[in-house]
Amino acid sequence: AASRATPRGRPGEWVGDADYPSRAQREERAGSAGFRLEVGSDGRVTCCTITSSTGHPDLDEATCRLIPRRARFKPAIGSDGQPMSDTYNGRITWRLPE
């Protein structure tokens, strides 16, 4: 049966407090970024696109710089039983570290 690409591990752990852009942290900026990942047939992210902005370019940039490096997927499987490329939509909320 065909299946979508599914994250290996926990998407919530792709980005942590240590990743917060320092200037955004100093200026106490936060927000949620929606993103779409293109996932290759090998389970690696080939492209990241911001689909809804945090309102802060540096937070959006950090989202698409960090997530493709860290996210790994179980590839999508086509109706022929072979791995295929797919997309994955997600959202990250940048909250100021405590």
Side-chain angles (χ1 to χ4, degrees):
S3 65
R4 301 290 315 252
T6 53
R8 294 183 188 271
R10 299 180 50 206
E13 295 174 354
W14 290 342
V15 177
D17 286 352
D19 298 313
Y20 217 99
S22 56
R23 184 172 176 185
Q25 194 170 346
R26 279 195 311 277
E27 295 176 0
E28 297 187 357
R29 290 188 276 114
S32 288
F35 59 88
R36 179 174 53 253
L37 303 176
E38 293 178 27
V39 180
S41 59
D42 62 357
R44 291 188 176 268
V45 176
T46 58
C47 185
C48 175
T49 306
I50 295 295
T51 57
S52 78
S53 176
T54 61
H56 306 290
D58 55 348
L59 295 178
D60 294 345
E61 184 276 330
T63 299
C64 273
R65 177 172 42 82
L66 296 168
I67 290 177
R69 289 185 196 163
R70 298 177 180 171
R72 294 294 177 266
F73 287 81
K74 183 178 170 191
I77 303 296
S79 55
D80 61 358
Q82 296 301 307
M84 59 180 251
S85 53
D86 195 10
T87 59
Y88 174 85
N89 292 295
R91 174 168 291 282
I92 178 176
T93 299
W94 290 94
R95 285 189 190 87
L96 289 165
E98 294 297 315

